[in-house]
Amino acid sequence: MFSRMTIGEKWFQVFAVMFIAGLSVLFVYPFIHVLSISLSTPSEAIRPGLHLFPQEFSLEAYRKAVSSTQIWYGFRNTIFRTVVGTVLSVVVMVMAAYPLSKKYLPDRRFYTLFIVMTMFFSGGLIPSYMLIKSLGLYDSMLVYIIPSLFVTFSLLILRNFFIGIPQELEDSARMDGANDIRILFSVVLPLSAPIIATITLWSAVRYWNEWFQALIYIQDQTKIVLQIYLRRLVVENQDMELRMLMSQQPGQETVTPETVKAAVLMIITGPIIIVYPFLQKYFVKGVMIGSLKE
């Protein structure tokens, strides 16, 4: 195919490949740098220059990182929030998007417009804080899940995808005696695997990375999430916690704040990086089909 291109098209292809390759290097190198630092000895970690792979290999930073009870609290709470929140969020949005995709729903456009308005207007932080307090969600694990169940953009993507499913399939199932719930689970959802996978991954990444709710609504330190723990080490730079992590035992290697922070960062980002490639193939298909139809 390349041989059939004109000179201009060939130069464009070469330039496009070089440009994308350059962007890929820019995006991947910070991750490689942090990984290399986390696996290096302190003397290697402070060495100036590029860090593509550790010259002096060491796992001591990871041993120190996982020795903290706070990181295990964070793992437990983050996994709980991500798994439960993602499942409930996808279920809620599917249940809302399916009826909104039906033309026979009374006042369908009004409900859709009412939901879309929430993308542009919100009550603000203080009303949200007062609402959370009044609902009894303050300092509760439910505050991680309930306020984030509904995402308007994801709902619209789902709704548009459901609109694109041929109505004849549902009419055929209805003639066989199926009701709307049966049609949803037996006809619509099996055809919606790409968009469901896309929304699931979006929700999982959102729940995994969310930290602001824990910052303002959680006081109990056994309920913190990984992102708050990382923020304390990297942003707030809590010297006491770092000193506890770096406290040495006889016969052990030394570690530095940089290697411990890099190790914690890799521990937190690792699960999402591992899961992402398995669902990435659904992105283009799911989003493109669900983004254009009315």
Side-chain angles (χ1 to χ4, degrees):
M1 183 177 180
F2 186 79
S3 59
R4 298 178 182 178
M5 294 181 181
T6 64
I7 298 297
E9 291 174 336
K10 291 180 180 180
W11 277 109
F12 177 80
Q13 289 291 329
V14 171
F15 174 79
V17 171
M18 293 177 62
F19 180 73
I20 296 300
L23 285 180
S24 300
V25 171
L26 290 177
F27 294 151
V28 172
Y29 173 70
F31 175 81
I32 297 177
H33 174 82
V34 174
L35 177 62
S36 177
I37 293 295
S38 69
L39 294 172
S40 300
T41 59
S43 59
E44 172 64 16
I46 63 176
R47 175 181 60 84
L50 297 175
H51 289 264
L52 296 178
F53 54 90
Q55 300 290 338
E56 300 174 6
F57 185 81
S58 174
L59 292 174
E60 188 60 27
Y62 286 91
R63 296 192 186 98
K64 291 296 181 181
V66 299
S67 67
S68 171
T69 57
Q70 291 293 306
I71 198 171
W72 292 111
Y73 287 142
F75 254 119
R76 180 195 65 188
N77 299 330
T78 302
I79 292 174
F80 169 80
R81 177 180 67 174
T82 302
V83 173
V84 177
T86 299
V87 172
L88 292 180
S89 181
V90 172
V91 170
V92 167
M93 287 189 289
V94 166
M95 291 299 182
Y98 181 65
L100 288 175
S101 67
K102 301 305 166 189
K103 295 181 180 180
Y104 55 80
L105 177 70
D107 301 319
R108 180 181 69 135
R109 292 187 178 274
F110 169 77
Y111 295 134
T112 303
L113 179 61
F114 185 80
I115 293 173
V116 169
M117 287 179 61
T118 62
M119 296 180 62
F120 307 101
F121 303 99
S122 65
L125 180 58
I126 294 178
S128 298
Y129 183 87
M130 295 175 63
L131 178 62
I132 294 297
K133 290 276 288 186
S134 64
L135 292 176
L137 299 178
Y138 187 80
D139 207 20
S140 168
M141 290 293 292
L142 293 177
V143 79
Y144 289 141
I145 298 173
I146 295 178
S148 303
L149 282 178
F150 199 88
V151 178
T152 304
F153 179 77
S154 298
L155 171 73
L156 295 178
I157 294 293
L158 276 170
R159 168 187 173 270
N160 291 346
F161 188 96
F162 291 156
I163 290 176
I165 295 177
Q167 184 63 36
E168 291 78 7
L169 295 175
E170 299 186 30
D171 293 339
S172 177
R174 188 168 282 108
M175 291 176 63
D176 291 335
N179 56 23
D180 288 327
I181 299 298
R182 181 66 182 273
I183 292 173
L184 173 62
F185 286 97
S186 299
V187 178
V188 176
L189 291 185
L191 296 174
S192 306
I195 194 65
I196 296 297
T198 301
I199 299 301
T200 299
L201 185 55
W202 284 352
S203 299
V205 171
R206 173 167 50 86
Y207 275 108
W208 184 271
N209 291 332
E210 174 62 42
W211 60 272
F212 190 67
Q213 291 174 339
L215 181 67
I216 61 177
Y217 297 137
I218 296 296
Q219 294 295 321
D220 187 349
Q221 294 306 298
T222 64
K223 297 177 180 177
I224 67 168
V225 291
L226 282 172
Q227 289 67 29
I228 292 297
Y229 178 72
L230 177 63
R231 186 177 187 275
R232 289 174 179 173
L233 292 182
V234 177
V235 179
E236 298 177 3
N237 195 19
Q238 291 191 356
D239 295 332
M240 182 176 295
E241 189 145 8
L242 283 173
R243 283 200 301 269
M244 291 175 61
L245 287 175
M246 293 186 297
S247 59
Q248 301 302 311
Q249 300 295 331
Q252 288 185 336
E253 301 179 57
T254 59
V255 293
T256 63
E258 287 72 22
T259 55
V260 174
K261 291 176 183 178
V264 173
L265 185 59
M266 293 307 304
I267 291 172
I268 293 176
T269 58
I272 289 297
I273 294 175
I274 293 172
V275 171
Y276 184 85
F278 294 99
L279 296 178
Q280 183 187 19
K281 61 182 179 180
Y282 293 109
F283 265 21
V284 174
K285 183 178 179 181
V287 175
M288 291 303 294
I289 292 178
S291 61
L292 301 177
K293 296 183 180 179
E294 167 53 35

